[in-house]
Amino acid sequence: AHCSWENRKEVQEIWHSVWGSQFAGRRVAVAKAVFQDLFNRDPDAKALFTRVNVDDMDSPEFEAHCLRVTNGLDTVIGLLDDATVLNEQLGHLHTQHEQREGVTAEHFAIFARSMAGALDQVAPCFNHRAWDDCFQVISDGIAHD
Ligand code: HEM
């Protein structure tokens, strides 16, 4: 993947304007919609989240999970231009996901698409190419197969 300087800047700008302001106050709702979209595309993936009460997506357990994931994404997007710390953080997330049997790179590709769909709804001229290229770096760092 080629997450160039221009692509990084574009992804960071879109993410921060959308996540920081347009989605502020409804981050949990957006994150839940993203997970719902992922489960629609891959119903089997739902079983990975039983420990965080996925059967009730409005439960505090699942909402807290949504925040851990999206805050984690916020952190790595912010780190895209600091390769050393980024790799350390991706390695940490890799270890956390390694412990979860059944999480695949394909899940990350679907998640990227679901999240892009949410951003696309509010960001004018959302650049899918930049998003895909930079998300690939993130997913390569976290996913295991
Ligand atoms: C847990 C981040 C994508 C599956 C977590 C946690 C974080 C995180 C921070 C909590 C770790 C802990 O406190 O132990 C991310 C980020 C993602 C991402 C930043 C995208 C860039 C995914 C995807 C899947 C997945 C695509 C699979 C569909 C899981 C599972 C857990 C988890 C199964 C454990 C839930 C539990 O607590 O039982 N993730 N995640 N993650 N993630 Fe991800």
Side-chain angles (χ1 to χ4, degrees):
H2 190 59
C3 181
S4 65
W5 187 88
E6 285 84 359
N7 285 349
R8 294 200 295 269
K9 289 299 144 202
E10 188 147 1
V11 166
Q12 287 176 329
E13 258 168 53
I14 287 175
W15 176 261
H16 288 128
S17 76
V18 171
W19 200 249
S21 54
Q22 282 164 281
F23 283 169
R26 53 193 175 106
R27 289 183 190 164
V28 173
V30 173
K32 278 195 276 192
V34 168
F35 270 105
Q36 186 58 63
D37 188 71
L38 186 154
F39 299 148
N40 292 344
R41 294 177 195 275
D42 181 359
D44 292 341
K46 210 168 170 178
L48 297 166
F49 303 96
T50 46
R51 206 184 71 107
V52 285
N53 202 5
V54 70
D55 286 334
D56 179 3
M57 289 178 72
D58 297 323
S59 64
E61 294 89 347
F62 194 74
E63 291 194 345
H65 165 77
C66 283
L67 287 172
R68 286 193 289 274
V69 173
T70 48
N71 284 328
L73 182 56
D74 184 62
T75 300
V76 291
I77 288 174
L79 284 173
L80 280 174
D81 34 25
D82 185 345
T84 313
V85 183
L86 174 68
N87 286 331
E88 182 59 35
Q89 181 61 14
L90 291 176
H92 186 88
L93 287 164
H94 175 84
T95 304
Q96 284 181 326
H97 286 82
E98 217 170 20
Q99 293 154 5
R100 314 294 180 182
E101 219 40 58
V103 179
T104 65
E106 178 60 23
H107 288 132
F108 278 79
I110 301 170
F111 179 87
R113 198 169 148 188
S114 301
M115 183 58 89
L119 298 170
D120 191 50
Q121 282 174 31
V122 292
C125 326
F126 178 73
N127 185 336
H128 283 271
R129 182 70 196 279
W131 173 259
D132 290 348
D133 285 355
C134 291
F135 198 92
Q136 192 65 49
V137 171
I138 295 170
S139 131
D140 286 348
I142 305 175
H144 54 95
D145 254 338

